Amino acid sequence: MEIVIVGGPHSGVGKTLAAEIAVRALAGRSVGAIKLTVADGERDATHDHGGSALSVADAAGTCGRGDSCGVCETVSARVPSRLILSEGAIRKPNTDTCRLHDAGAVAVAWIIALRAAAPQAVEQAIAQLETRGAKMILIEGTTALEWLKPLASVMVVTDPGRRWKDVAVRYAEVCDMVLLNRLPIAPGDIAAPVALHSLHPVRCDLSDPTDPGTTEYVRRLRTLCGVSERTSSSAGAAISGS
């Protein structure tokens, strides 16, 4: 199964928007999408509630940021992963999974998993999406870069932002594309690692279908995935969903 991974160094950079654009850009390839939530990931200082939160995380899989919306507590050492496929959950309004569905994914899965259980959970999700007609898989989740060798990989970043997760620091240089996304309000005030600019990022505004960087992202992604070029007007339609 051919796989595309869209990741980012922290939340708020535009990963889901980049994933939506990718699903549309690869229309015709029967793309299934996976939203990967790792429940015991790295902490974010802005959500750090101290050592007690880490103790709970070790025991029950609470969000690695040190805070939680309640999602991550649904996995633990006893139940290390959950695979969610139900239409009611996937198509809940204003969720990332709903956005991926509405972008045109033929099927969408949401994985909530402890880090050690994530590879097996992704394998199970891919098998399920394949039975639902997927012939290519897009994964929104940086951690998948640790064990998968995708057909195409994209890292979405901002500058400034927040502290980069170690997985992003380690894998940004091997990604096929790094997108430096312009946002009206930066998600943080920490400068990106100096190595970012040696990665030759594509400067873009992913919210603007006509932005040259955004259209370049679509063009390069299609090339990497062996999708024939379309007219520039079709590229714009793929980005905007029109």
Side-chain angles (χ1 to χ4, degrees):
M1 178 68 74
E2 294 179 332
I3 294 173
V4 174
I5 296 176
V6 176
H10 53 75
S11 61
V13 296
K15 291 193 302 295
T16 303
L17 180 53
E20 288 178 278
I21 293 171
V23 170
R24 293 189 178 112
L26 301 173
R29 295 296 297 273
S30 299
V31 178
I34 295 172
K35 171 71 177 182
L36 174 60
T37 301
V38 175
D40 53 349
E42 298 169 46
R43 283 186 297 162
D44 183 329
T46 61
H47 294 86
D48 184 6
H49 288 237
S52 61
L54 292 181
S55 298
V56 176
D58 289 339
T62 305
C63 176
R65 298 177 188 174
D67 196 5
S68 181
C69 62
V71 168
C72 292
E73 285 89 343
T74 65
V75 294
S76 65
R78 185 174 62 84
V79 183
S81 68
R82 292 192 182 277
L83 173 58
I84 298 168
L85 296 162
S86 69
E87 288 294 301
I90 295 299
R91 299 181 66 175
K92 183 177 180 180
N94 303 314
T95 62
D96 291 350
T97 53
C98 185
R99 289 171 61 181
L100 293 170
H101 172 274
D102 291 348
V106 296
V108 180
W110 181 21
I111 294 170
I112 308 164
L114 301 182
R115 182 176 296 272
Q120 183 177 3
V122 168
E123 184 177 343
Q124 292 171 344
I126 290 173
Q128 287 292 324
L129 295 181
E130 190 171 13
T131 65
R132 298 179 180 213
K135 294 181 173 59
M136 174 181 280
I137 300 294
L138 180 140
I139 301 174
E140 184 194 333
T142 315
T143 306
L145 290 166
E146 293 186 331
W147 74 88
L148 289 174
K149 295 189 180 300
L151 180 65
S153 54
V154 181
M155 187 75 70
V156 188
V157 308
T158 62
D159 190 13
R162 297 199 289 274
R163 184 184 69 83
W164 282 32
K165 297 176 183 177
D166 288 344
V167 64
V169 173
R170 286 186 281 120
Y171 287 95
E173 66 179 3
V174 301
C175 283
D176 296 297
M177 278 183 283
V178 175
L179 304 179
L180 181 52
N181 190 24
R182 295 189 301 274
L183 295 173
I185 301 175
D189 58 5
I190 299 174
V194 293
L196 168 64
H197 299 288
S198 69
L199 303 177
H200 307 292
V202 176
R203 298 175 182 272
C204 57
D205 177 354
L206 292 173
S207 68
D208 180 1
T210 66
D211 177 78
T214 306
T215 56
E216 173 66 5
Y217 164 43
V218 170
R219 186 194 68 78
R220 288 175 60 179
L221 182 64
R222 285 176 171 159
T223 298
L224 286 165
C225 294
V227 177
S228 60
E229 283 295 317
R230 301 178 184 179
T231 64
S232 58
S233 60
S234 294
I239 300 168
S240 65
S242 58

